[in-house]
């Protein structure tokens, strides 16, 4: 093989190798999920496109969230698909109306999601679930799901930090500032604990406590943001 041909062969091999190892960026579309007889459930969540294993795992986690959010009977949860749970929710409402025809109570379920943050290493998705099944008021729950952008696997909250205890000490003053003018908090600022929901956003790291987590219903959701410029040194995956 002549030197010129040899060089061409090496360049060709390097090009093929780069093409094989190049990571395809995960993209998302919005999907509305319903069934033919559905009248009270509205679902709009992101869908990871591509069909590769990363997209499949992300979509499985999103679908599982929706299935759980639609569980009317938490003591006997259904193992069905989203469509089955939508129909079950509608059926439970019909049964309720048949049992209490004089009731003016309307049931509803609204589940929405959005991609809050996406980088080559992490994807954060916010999911809000509002259900009203006849109580004094509906229940709104916001959930952050953080995914490893390389594998599609969920990242648990404790895996976000290099040292969780150090991050707690660091984040405590931000929490104290957020609640400084609030009353009737369940949590003593001196015994600060992290919320279940921590996610990445364009503005920084969001820490969010849902209704009833640390305060009465009237206080609503409590959240605060820590800029990445201050939080990155505590994180296993840096934000922008």
């Amino acid at each position: 093989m002549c030197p010129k041909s040899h060089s061409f062969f090496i360049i060709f091999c390097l090009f093929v190798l780069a093409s094989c190892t190049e990571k395809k960026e995960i993209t998302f579309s919005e999907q509305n999920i319903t069934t033919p007889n559905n009248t009270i459930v509205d679902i709009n969540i992101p869908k990871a496109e591509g069909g590769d294993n990363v997209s499949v795992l992300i979509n499985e986690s999103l679908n599982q969230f929706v299935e759980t959010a639609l569980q009317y009977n938490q003591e006997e949860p259904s193992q069905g698909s989203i469509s089955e749970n939508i129909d079950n929710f509608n059926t439970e409402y019909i049964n309720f109306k048949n049992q209490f025809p004089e009731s003016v109570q309307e049931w509803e379920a609204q589940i929405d999601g959005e991609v809050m943050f996406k980088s080559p290493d992490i994807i954060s998705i916010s999911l809000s679930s509002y259900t009203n099944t006849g109580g004094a008021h509906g229940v709104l729950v916001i959930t952050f799901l953080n995914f490893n952008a390389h594998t599609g696997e969920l990242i648990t909250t404790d895996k976000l930090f290099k040292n969780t205890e150090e991050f707690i000490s660091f984040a405590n003053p931000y929490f104290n500032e957020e609640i400084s003018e609030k009353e009737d908090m369940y949590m003593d600022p001196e015994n600060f604990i992290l919320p279940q929901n921590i996610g990445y956003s364009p503005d920084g790291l969001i820490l969010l406590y849902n209704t009833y987590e640390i305060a009465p219903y009237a206080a609503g959701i409590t959240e605060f943001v820590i800029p990445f410029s201050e939080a990155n040194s505590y994180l296993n995956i840096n934000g922008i």
Side-chain angles (χ1 to χ4, degrees):
M1 180 181 292
C2 69
K4 181 178 292 187
S5 299
H6 183 67
S7 299
F8 176 79
F9 178 75
I10 292 176
I11 293 172
F12 175 76
C13 290
L14 291 174
F15 174 79
V16 171
L17 179 63
S19 299
C20 293
T21 58
E22 182 180 356
K23 184 179 182 299
K24 185 178 180 180
E25 181 182 3
I26 299 295
T27 60
F28 290 86
S29 61
E30 182 176 306
Q31 60 176 336
N32 173 266
I33 306 175
T34 188
T35 61
N37 297 318
N38 172 43
T39 60
I40 57 175
V41 177
D42 189 17
I43 300 173
N44 299 280
I45 61 171
K47 179 181 180 182
E49 301 292 349
D52 57 6
N53 192 55
V54 175
S55 299
V56 169
L57 288 178
I58 291 175
N59 290 330
E60 285 179 351
S61 294
L62 296 176
N63 291 344
Q64 185 176 43
F65 170 87
V66 174
E67 291 163 8
T68 302
L70 288 175
Q71 299 291 331
Y72 173 72
N73 189 341
Q74 298 294 334
E75 295 181 357
E76 299 180 7
S78 166
Q79 301 299 318
S81 65
I82 293 178
S83 295
E84 289 172 324
N85 279 285
I86 291 174
D87 288 337
N88 288 341
F89 193 89
N90 278 266
T91 298
E92 290 291 346
Y93 174 62
I94 293 172
N95 293 338
F96 167 80
K97 293 296 287 184
N98 289 336
Q99 187 175 1
F100 303 100
E102 72 285 354
S103 174
V104 297
Q105 178 66 49
E106 299 288 339
W107 285 22
E108 63 177 314
Q110 174 79 42
I111 300 174
D112 295 301
E114 66 171 337
V115 179
M116 295 195 302
F117 184 91
K118 187 173 67 169
S119 77
D121 299 313
I122 190 169
I123 297 168
S124 286
I125 295 178
S126 172
L127 294 159
S128 63
S129 169
Y130 174 82
T131 55
N132 190 339
T133 57
H137 49 71
V139 178
L140 173 66
V141 177
I142 296 176
T143 303
F144 295 154
L145 299 182
N146 300 300
F147 297 94
N148 184 317
H150 301 283
T151 66
E153 296 177 340
L154 278 171
I155 303 173
T156 57
T157 299
D158 61 301
K159 299 300 182 182
L160 294 175
F161 310 112
K162 297 175 181 177
N163 185 302
T164 301
E165 292 303 317
E166 289 182 2
F167 181 79
I168 289 174
S169 298
F170 162 72
N172 198 349
Y174 292 90
F175 172 77
N176 292 341
E177 181 179 357
E178 174 62 27
I179 67 168
S180 61
E181 298 182 2
K182 294 187 176 182
E183 300 178 354
D184 300 325
M185 304 299 292
Y186 296 156
M187 184 165 64
D188 182 351
E190 298 301 319
N191 297 309
F192 171 70
I193 59 173
L194 295 178
Q196 297 179 16
N197 291 292
I198 300 176
Y200 286 54
S201 80
D203 298 322
L205 196 70
I206 301 180
L207 288 79
L208 182 146
Y209 300 86
N210 276 296
T211 306
Y212 291 125
E213 264 191 86
I214 61 170
Y217 176 81
I221 291 169
T222 300
E223 66 177 325
F224 58 96
V225 179
I226 304 177
F228 286 127
S229 59
E230 301 172 30
N232 274 342
S233 59
Y234 298 89
L235 301 176
N236 283 321
I237 300 175
N238 283 355
I240 297 174

